């Protein structure tokens, strides 16, 4: 698993004062109660895996905050508040054995600006490299992030994003992989097609006993999410993919099929995946496939996040697959809700 993450040490990121996660595998499922940092951990991985230079750290953290805050309850744009540090601390750090990423708030004097008057800035450190920018300019960075990690959020997936993921799969001539996988999900689905229009690309499905193509948008959210996940694995070939609340919109009877495809495709695409869930049924299906020796090459790992009562800190426990099976079948404390 070259270039894949094997361990992470986190300091002062959102709800994590100190967190260390080791024995990270190729497919990693994160469970636990609400408000124990499952989504926050995906954001940590997004920040770490997307950043090759200091300015990437600043760009990615802004993207993360904007994704969470950019719309209010009426879907209207609102201001952005940089709320990614633990308990109003001034810096955060994410590191592995070979890479150290740090973001720091500082009051600095920049000679070229405001006649060297003090100004609030965000400083970024990646190993020995350094960059800084005034906070008021954080949303205006134009340099591209070359290895941005795909993040499939828990909310409805936009058809435009699915089309982009499907484009990556098409470039690899893997349409048959998707179509075969779709038939496992629903035997009536034969093929996904892209239809160019003057307004852009429209996705349609070819169904059994139906002469006309059917709009993907006319079907349920489950099939949209299923297609997005499968395409995104190959769009993240030799890289990392993040999926928040994988079970959303997908019926529990399809969980095992989905895990089987994810386990195999992650190996074929050399894609490392981090996934969260609130569903105990989803964890059970994951563990059932995890115990199948056919998928040993996947090196799937389950992590239970919980708050340590004595330390009042969030910790992550790597639960071995046999122990996970015992807990799931004997009413143990492993839970997704």
């Amino acid at each position: 698993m070259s270039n894949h993450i094997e361990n992470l040490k986190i300091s002062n990121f959102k709800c994590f004062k100190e967190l260390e996660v080791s024995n990270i595998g190729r497919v990693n499922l994160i469970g636990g109660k609400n408000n124990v940092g499952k989504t926050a951990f995906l954001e940590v991985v997004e920040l770490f895996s997307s950043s090759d230079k200091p300015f990437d750290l600043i760009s990615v953290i802004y993207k993360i905050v904007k994704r969470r805050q950019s719309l209010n309850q009426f879907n209207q744009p609102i201001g952005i508040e940089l709320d990614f540090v633990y308990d109003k601390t001034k810096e955060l750090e994410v590191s592995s054995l070979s890479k150290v990423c740090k973001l720091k708030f500082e009051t600095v004097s920049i000679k070229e600006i405001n006649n060297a008057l003090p100004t609030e800035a965000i400083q970024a450190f990646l190993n020995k490299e350094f960059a800084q920018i005034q906070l008021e300019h954080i949303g205006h960075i134009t340099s591209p992030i070359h290895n941005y990690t795909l993040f499939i959020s828990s909310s409805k997936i936009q058809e435009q994003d699915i089309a982009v993921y499907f484009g990556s799969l098409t470039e690899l001539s893997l349409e048959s992989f998707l179509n075969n996988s779709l038939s496992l999900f629903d035997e009536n689905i034969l093929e996904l097609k892209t239809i160019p229009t003057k307004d852009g690309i429209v996705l349609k499905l070819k169904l059994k006993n139906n002469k006309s193509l059917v709009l993907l948008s006319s079907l349920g959210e489950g099939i949209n999410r299923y297609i997005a996940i499968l395409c995104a694995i190959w769009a993240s070939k030799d890289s990392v993919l993040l999926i928040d609340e994988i079970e959303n919109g997908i019926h529990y009877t399809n969980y095992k099929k989905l895990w089987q495809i994810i386990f195999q495709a992650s190996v074929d695409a050399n894609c490392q995946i981090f996934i969260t869930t609130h569903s105990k049924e989803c964890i059970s299906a994951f563990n059932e496939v995890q115990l199948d020796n056919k998928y040993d090459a996947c090196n799937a790992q389950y992590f239970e996040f919980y708050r340590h009562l004595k330390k009042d800190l969030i910790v992550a426990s790597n639960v071995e697959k046999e122990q996970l099976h015992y807990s799931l079948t004997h009413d143990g404390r492993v839970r997704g809700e």
Side-chain angles (χ1 to χ4, degrees):
M1 290 198 306
S2 59
N3 299 322
H4 287 178
I5 300 167
E6 296 180 359
N7 61 82
L8 274 181
K9 187 174 182 180
I10 305 159
S11 299
N12 295 329
F13 184 91
K14 291 187 69 177
C15 56
F16 304 126
K17 183 178 181 181
E18 297 287 344
L19 179 69
E20 190 162 0
V21 183
S22 303
N23 198 34
I24 297 173
R26 186 185 297 277
V27 174
N28 304 277
L29 182 62
I30 297 104
K33 296 180 180 179
N34 289 326
N35 301 316
V36 291
K38 296 188 294 295
T39 302
F41 181 72
L42 294 189
E43 292 175 347
V44 169
V45 177
E46 180 181 6
L47 177 67
F48 184 84
S49 61
S50 299
S51 301
D52 292 327
K53 55 185 184 294
F55 261 120
D56 290 345
L57 289 169
I58 299 172
S59 296
V60 175
I61 202 67
Y62 181 74
K63 284 178 177 289
I64 291 171
V65 173
K66 188 177 180 181
R67 182 174 62 228
R68 286 192 283 104
Q69 298 181 8
S70 59
L71 297 175
N72 64 16
Q73 60 179 326
F74 304 107
N75 289 328
Q76 296 172 333
I78 58 177
I80 301 299
E81 180 181 349
L82 299 178
D83 63 346
F84 52 81
V85 289
Y86 176 83
D87 196 24
K88 299 182 180 179
T89 53
K90 291 293 185 180
E91 65 179 74
L92 68 87
E93 183 175 304
V94 187
S95 63
S96 66
L97 294 176
S98 59
K99 182 177 176 182
V100 179
C101 302
K102 182 187 293 186
L103 286 168
K104 187 176 182 180
F105 289 112
E106 283 288 341
T107 301
V108 299
S109 294
I110 303 177
K111 292 181 179 180
E112 295 81 6
I113 301 173
N114 295 333
N115 298 317
L117 292 176
T119 183
E120 287 294 311
I122 184 168
Q123 299 179 332
F125 305 81
L126 201 158
N127 292 341
K128 295 181 179 180
E129 296 183 65
F130 166 78
Q132 73 175 8
I133 188 172
Q134 286 179 281
L135 284 180
E136 61 187 271
H137 296 153
I138 191 173
H140 300 113
I141 299 175
T142 57
S143 57
I145 304 169
H146 294 289
N147 296 309
Y148 189 70
T149 299
L150 294 182
F151 187 109
I152 297 180
S153 71
S154 58
S155 57
K156 181 179 174 64
I157 300 171
Q158 299 299 314
E159 188 167 319
Q160 180 181 356
D161 292 331
I162 299 175
V164 171
Y165 303 157
F166 182 65
S168 298
L169 187 143
T170 301
E171 286 184 350
L172 295 168
S173 300
L174 288 169
E175 297 93 332
S176 60
F177 158 77
L178 177 63
N179 294 328
N180 292 337
S181 300
L182 286 173
S183 66
L184 293 175
F185 186 86
D186 185 336
E187 62 181 13
N188 291 313
I189 300 175
L190 299 177
E191 188 177 358
L192 177 68
K193 289 181 173 289
T194 56
I195 310 299
T197 72
K198 63 179 182 179
D199 298 317
I201 297 294
V202 175
L203 297 177
K204 292 189 176 184
L205 290 171
K206 183 177 181 181
L207 305 179
K208 280 184 180 179
N209 304 319
N210 197 325
K211 294 182 180 180
S212 301
L213 299 177
V214 176
L215 284 169
L216 176 62
S217 58
S218 68
L219 300 182
E221 174 60 19
I223 189 63
N224 284 256
R225 193 165 185 79
Y226 187 80
I227 290 172
I229 289 169
L230 300 185
C231 292
I233 292 173
W234 283 100
S236 304
K237 186 177 184 295
D238 299 323
S239 187
V240 175
L241 173 64
L242 310 169
I243 306 171
D244 199 15
E245 297 181 22
I246 189 171
E247 73 277 7
N248 284 1
I250 297 177
H251 197 267
Y252 73 92
T253 56
N254 285 313
Y255 289 164
K256 183 177 179 181
K257 297 176 189 175
L258 179 59
W259 285 123
Q260 289 172 332
I261 294 170
I262 287 175
F263 279 29
Q264 187 59 56
S266 69
V267 174
D268 295 340
N270 189 33
C271 175
Q272 186 177 32
I273 313 178
F274 295 83
I275 302 167
T276 71
T277 183
H278 280 108
S279 166
K280 190 171 183 178
E281 291 84 0
C282 191
I283 297 172
S284 295
F286 169 89
N287 183 238
E288 188 176 349
V289 180
Q290 186 187 28
L291 288 166
D292 188 338
N293 294 334
K294 178 181 176 181
Y295 300 100
D296 281 348
C298 177
N299 185 23
Q301 301 291 335
Y302 175 76
F303 295 90
E304 182 83 5
F305 278 45
Y306 63 95
R307 185 172 292 278
H308 194 289
L309 296 179
K310 290 184 179 180
K311 297 180 180 179
D312 194 29
L313 294 174
I314 293 172
V315 297
S317 174
N318 180 211
V319 184
E320 295 291 336
K321 56 187 178 182
E322 292 81 9
Q323 181 186 351
L324 178 60
H325 176 71
Y326 183 87
S327 296
L328 289 166
T329 55
H330 291 77
D331 199 25
R333 74 183 189 110
V334 172
R335 55 189 293 164
E337 63 272 54

